[in-house]
Amino acid sequence: MPMSEVARPRQDVVAARNQISLFSLFKTFLTIGAISFGGGVVAYIREYVVRGEQWMDDEEFLDALEVGQTLPGLIAVNLSVIIGDRIRGAAGALAAAVAILLPGTIVVMTAGVLYVGNRQNPAVNHFLGGVAAAAVGLLTAVALQLGHKQLVHIRDFLIVMATFVAISLLHRSLITVILVIGPIAVFLYHPTTHRSGRIKPAKTREPIPLAGHR
Amino acid sequence: MQSTKILNLMWVFALLSLVAVGGGTAVLPEMRRMLVGHFHWLSDKQFREIYSIGQIAPGPNMLMVEVIGFRLAGAFGAVVVGLAFFIPDCLITFYVNRVWKRFEGSPWRTAIQRGMAPVAIGLMLSGTYTVAKISIVDLTTGLLALVVFAILYFRHVNPAILIIIGGTITLLVHGF
């Protein structure tokens, strides 16, 4: 698989990566999966992979993130697959994806079994009701911070509005919306669409704002 | 009967995973449409409560889909939903990422990345709106959402702490 000129890691980095064992890759993503409470898993991955283990620099991390958030799926899981693949190929991708999901699966299933057994308990209902309300505050903050960083053009806002209106007010199916608005949005950003031929870059490449810790 | 339900769960979550542009929050409206609206498998209250369980666990919040599988079809349902929701995206990411590198600097690649970003944000807002519609049911929950939003937007606090405090507040307000 040929790598492009831009994203090619340095030879010494590649050599160093071959020294990283599948086990330590698994262990690191397992740790991230176990401590990333409160969402913002991407920030934890960056903390561990870039700052802690120094398996890649920030530039390569942000490249991976751009791909991971464009493709369908949970961004943290996509990112784990990409990072695992860059470090140890297919086995690395599998190890990272399983490791990031395993601790949360154990906790969520334990809580889920307890919930299903106690779902008529008013205390459980009241507690989970407050959790959901707090989550609304969290989701709004994440969406607005992300929007603040990524929405540059009036065109961006129109696409956001069209998407929101189609899903939330007109109750169109997600597939329809993606198949209709997606190609239009991509077309609007193709350089030939603009006379200048250049697209104003996003304000920053720091896409994910909220994390449990810095 | 049960096997039909398992098959339905499998294709619903596999389909949801394919349209999860911009992460998990983006599919919440469609997930609710299918589970609460189309199949009548869950009530809004149950959907909200299972969503909340995902907020308490570490890792991606959308792991809560496994609880939906468990609630609807037992342990096997949890496994089927988990695999159906995660495997397609992992495979797509694995293969497309390898091909994607060849298009570095291509105007189409840039256009896709830049064009899909506002679509993803619009979908996140829709997901947020869905959770808000089923979660903000009275003054307490409304104020709670507002205060948590204000704290997180302007200050750097671990959201998990606010989530737990939020649950405790409604528990205390409504009694045990």
Side-chain angles (χ1 to χ4, degrees), chain A residues 23-158:
Chain A
F23 177 73
S24 66
L25 185 67
F26 186 83
K27 203 176 63 180
T28 297
F29 279 88
L30 197 70
T31 309
I32 300 167
I35 63 158
S36 52
F37 285 94
V41 183
V42 169
Y44 286 88
I45 297 178
R46 185 186 200 175
E47 182 77 24
Y48 274 76
V49 170
V50 178
R51 266 172 237 160
E53 304 286 350
Q54 303 191 338
W55 286 336
M56 54 175 56
D57 59 20
D58 227 22
E59 187 69 12
E60 194 183 357
F61 177 87
L62 291 174
D63 271 334
L65 180 55
E66 271 179 4
V67 180
Q69 66 184 2
T70 305
L71 296 176
L74 307 190
I75 299 168
V77 180
N78 289 352
L79 194 54
S80 303
V81 168
I82 295 171
I83 293 172
D85 184 33
R86 294 214 173 150
I87 292 176
R88 290 292 308 233
L94 181 66
V98 170
I100 198 125
L101 291 172
L102 193 59
T105 292
I106 293 169
V107 176
V108 93
M109 282 311 297
T110 307
V113 171
L114 290 173
Y115 163 74
V116 170
N118 297 281
R119 64 181 191 276
Q120 312 291 1
N121 182 334
V124 170
N125 303 139
H126 293 322
F127 180 78
L128 293 176
V131 167
V136 172
L138 166 61
L139 292 176
T140 314
V142 172
L144 290 192
Q145 288 183 348
L146 204 58
H148 181 71
K149 290 186 172 172
Q150 295 202 336
L151 307 181
V152 187
H153 283 280
I154 184 76
R155 185 184 319 136
D156 290 322
F157 289 95
L158 292 176

Side-chain angles (χ1 to χ4, degrees), chain A residues 114-133, chain B residues 43 45-50 52-53 134-135 137-138 141 166-172 174-176:
Chain A
L114 290 173
Y115 163 74
V116 170
N118 297 281
R119 64 181 191 276
Q120 312 291 1
N121 182 334
V124 170
N125 303 139
H126 293 322
F127 180 78
L128 293 176
V131 167
Chain B
S43 66
K45 175 172 167 286
Q46 289 171 332
F47 187 68
R48 174 182 76 210
E49 291 182 343
I50 295 177
S52 298
I53 291 171
I134 59 176
S135 309
V137 289
D138 55 17
T141 44
T168 311
I169 288 175
T170 45
L171 182 59
L172 294 176
H174 294 285
F176 290 84

Side-chain angles (χ1 to χ4, degrees), chain B residues 38-147:
Chain B
H38 183 74
F39 286 106
H40 303 291
W41 282 335
L42 294 174
S43 66
D44 269 338
K45 175 172 167 286
Q46 289 171 332
F47 187 68
R48 174 182 76 210
E49 291 182 343
I50 295 177
Y51 179 74
S52 298
I53 291 171
Q55 295 291 320
I56 301 168
N61 296 331
M62 294 306 285
L63 281 169
M64 63 89 179
V65 298
E66 295 167 359
V67 180
I68 294 180
F70 178 74
R71 169 76 183 83
L72 296 175
F76 187 56
V79 174
V80 167
V81 167
L83 296 179
F85 193 65
F86 290 109
I87 288 180
D89 287 333
C90 286
L91 290 177
I92 291 172
T93 300
F94 182 77
Y95 289 107
V96 176
N97 172 57
R98 287 187 165 194
V99 178
W100 208 236
K101 282 185 217 152
R102 296 185 197 164
F103 296 96
E104 188 84 55
S106 144
W108 280 110
R109 178 182 154 149
T110 314
I112 290 171
Q113 290 184 171
R114 288 286 283 119
M116 290 314 281
V119 175
I121 291 172
L123 293 177
M124 278 180 76
L125 286 173
S126 296
T128 306
Y129 180 70
T130 292
V131 182
K133 254 195 318 196
I134 59 176
S135 309
I136 297 180
V137 289
D138 55 17
L139 188 64
T140 314
T141 44
L143 284 175
L144 197 54
L146 205 64
V147 171

Side-chain angles (χ1 to χ4, degrees), chain A residues 165-209:
Chain A
V165 167
I167 295 272
S168 296
L169 305 180
L170 303 177
H171 307 290
R172 297 290 145 204
S173 82
L174 184 49
I175 299 174
T176 315
V177 171
I178 288 175
L179 290 182
V180 173
I181 298 183
I184 294 174
V186 171
F187 175 75
L188 286 174
Y189 273 99
H190 195 267
T192 54
T193 313
H194 313 285
R195 224 169 296 162
S196 65
R198 284 198 60 84
I199 299 169
K200 197 166 148 196
K203 277 181 205 151
T204 164
R205 296 185 69 203
E206 298 263 345
I208 302 295

